[in-house]
């Protein structure tokens, strides 16, 4: 009887370990990533931006979770921004993260404002194509 419990426990553990990893592309993030790291924001309008490169997306604006998708280079819309983890690249740094619909991977995610191009953007700035500051998220959950 004791051996059966051990075997049953080992089989259950193997099933958990072999499950699809968080951030799987087909269906978006796995349940553990959604529960542990995912942050959604209130959607109340769009602002258009331009990105100079394909930008990866995180499940939130903090240091938690794996990449969940991508926003392609070009003209895109964002819903709002939140101050979060610092993203640093060859063109500077930015702490603003933009909540948006993604082009690849999960439906929505957070993209660093580092990838924005156009007048008014740069270190710790985030403006739309009309030069207006992207609004801060009014609600996150």
């Amino acid at each position: 009887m004791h051996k059966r419990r051990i075997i049953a426990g080992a089989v259950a553990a193997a099933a958990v370990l072999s499950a699809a990893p968080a951030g799987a592309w087909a269906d978006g993030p796995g349940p553990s990533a959604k529960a542990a790291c995912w942050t959604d924001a209130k959607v109340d309008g769009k602002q258009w931006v331009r990105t100079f490169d394909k930008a990866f997306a995180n499940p939130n604006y903090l240091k938690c979770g794996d990449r969940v998708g991508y926003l392609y280079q070009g003209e895109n819309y964002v819903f709002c921004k939140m101050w979060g983890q610092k993203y640093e690249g060859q063109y500077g740094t930015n702490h603003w993260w933009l909540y948006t619909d993604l082009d690849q991977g999960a439906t929505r995610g957070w993209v660093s404002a580092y990838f924005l191009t156009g007048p008014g953007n740069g270190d710790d700035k985030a403006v739309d194509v009309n030069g207006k500051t992207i609004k801060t998220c009014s609600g996150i959950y």
Side-chain angles (χ1 to χ4, degrees):
M1 184 75 158
H2 184 65
K3 287 182 182 179
R4 285 186 191 170
R5 286 186 194 158
I6 292 172
I7 291 171
V11 169
V16 169
L17 292 175
S18 66
W25 295 112
D27 299 316
S32 62
K34 184 77 171 175
C37 296
W38 206 271
T39 303
D40 289 317
K42 181 179 176 185
V43 174
D44 55 2
K46 299 176 183 176
Q47 286 180 269
W48 289 90
V49 298
R50 283 188 195 93
T51 53
F52 66 83
D53 201 357
K54 181 179 177 180
F56 70 88
N58 283 343
N60 63 33
Y61 51 92
L62 303 170
K63 292 181 178 179
C64 182
D66 295 327
R67 294 178 182 180
V68 296
Y70 293 93
L71 186 66
Y72 295 150
Q73 175 183 355
E75 196 158 301
N76 297 284
Y77 59 85
V78 298
F79 301 116
C80 57
K81 69 179 180 181
M82 288 296 291
W83 188 263
Q85 75 181 30
K86 178 172 86 171
Y87 181 87
E88 191 166 2
Q90 72 182 62
Y91 302 114
T93 61
N94 207 308
H95 285 86
W96 289 112
W97 287 81
L98 313 169
Y99 189 62
T100 188
D101 287 331
L102 302 177
D103 296 316
Q104 179 185 350
T107 304
R108 290 190 174 151
W110 296 87
V111 175
S112 174
Y114 168 85
F115 292 97
L116 296 182
T117 187
N121 282 305
D123 290 338
D124 286 333
K125 294 185 178 86
V127 300
D128 67 15
V129 294
N130 297 314
K132 292 183 180 178
T133 300
I134 296 170
K135 65 184 171 188
T136 302
C137 299
S138 62
I140 56 169
Y141 49 96

